[in-house]
Amino acid sequence: MRVLVVTAVPAERDAVTRAFADGPRVREVPGAELHHAGPFDVLAGGAGPAAAAAATACALAATPYALVVSAGIGGGFAPVAPVGSLVVATGIVAADLGAETPDGFVPVTGLGFGRDTFLPPGTLVRDVAGATGARPGPVLTVSTVTGSAARTAELLAAHPGAVAEAMEGFGVAEAADRFGVPALELRAVSNTVGPRDRDAWRIGDALAALTEAFGKTAPVVESWNRHDRLDRHRD
């Protein structure tokens, strides 16, 4: 079975497929283009968790996949994830899904319904980190990109050890979970989480790092996929 990769925008999708010399084969699917490259089927599903969840669910309803990867660029928390580095999620966390109360923010789990974290397969996270040099840690999904020091401090207080924030991972993982498919999140850091300074962003460098990461990730994912199928067959 193949692996589905969901990015937000075409530039991220194309960065993934550039890792493979033969170039992508493209076919139309409802609402998107699916680009086949190496072991991956890659689509640009749109920005934010809702668009990402919808695109992922449509793809999974049409085709069985062994794994779904949320991929792209994102903001890194200093100093653990500097610009140009890679991160791989040990937890895919909905950081702003919940309610504001007089005592502060309460996550959706604290309200007594839903969930706010998905855990990728631990062995796969370890092996991807080893192959790519990605920093493992929680990756936060936010609907609004952080733009202040105060908000950065709030996020780190609520999620100690977080390495990055992005806008799609939780939506991808939520859809994958509905289909019983494991999810992974792999990001290249384009900017530092904190006060918004577009002049300091290095989007081109992050996209190049993403390309390199997927070239190294492909054999890891293929090996994990083979062993996972064997384990399920034995069960």
Side-chain angles (χ1 to χ4, degrees):
M1 294 172 66
R2 291 179 65 79
V3 172
L4 176 66
V5 179
V6 183
T7 72
V9 298
E12 295 167 317
R13 178 200 64 204
D14 295 344
V16 173
T17 61
R18 275 197 298 273
F20 305 95
D22 54 351
R25 294 176 290 109
V26 181
R27 70 180 175 90
E28 298 289 334
V29 296
E33 290 180 345
L34 201 60
H35 290 222
H36 306 268
F40 303 116
D41 291 350
V42 192
L43 65 84
T56 303
C58 286
L60 290 171
T63 306
Y65 287 98
L67 174 72
V68 182
V69 183
S70 177
I73 62 176
F77 288 101
V80 295
V83 172
S85 67
L86 299 165
V87 298
V88 59
T90 56
I92 302 172
V93 183
D96 56 9
L97 181 62
E100 291 290 346
T101 77
D103 297 320
F105 178 77
V106 178
V108 67
T109 50
L111 299 174
F113 55 87
R115 65 188 298 178
D116 62 4
T117 303
F118 290 96
L119 301 178
T123 56
L124 182 58
V125 171
R126 180 199 65 206
D127 292 347
V128 168
T132 64
R135 178 66 177 257
V139 175
L140 310 184
T141 298
V142 295
S143 294
T144 301
V145 173
T146 299
S148 70
R151 179 57 177 158
T152 302
E154 289 175 3
L155 288 173
L156 288 174
H159 306 283
V163 293
E165 71 168 23
M167 299 181 72
E168 293 79 33
F170 190 82
V172 171
E174 183 77 75
D177 185 69
R178 301 295 178 97
F179 285 84
V181 179
L184 183 74
E185 185 166 9
L186 180 60
R187 298 270 169 187
V189 176
S190 59
N191 59 281
T192 298
V193 178
R196 191 171 175 82
D197 180 8
R198 284 301 300 268
D199 290 338
W201 289 24
R202 298 292 181 266
I203 292 176
D205 292 344
L207 292 173
L210 192 66
T211 300
E212 184 177 357
F214 268 85
K216 296 175 179 178
T217 296
V220 174
V221 166
E222 290 177 312
S223 176
W224 174 85
N225 194 1
R226 286 194 300 271
H227 285 103
D228 184 63
R229 288 202 308 270
L230 286 172
D231 290 343
R232 282 186 275 114
H233 179 71
R234 292 190 190 101
D235 291 343

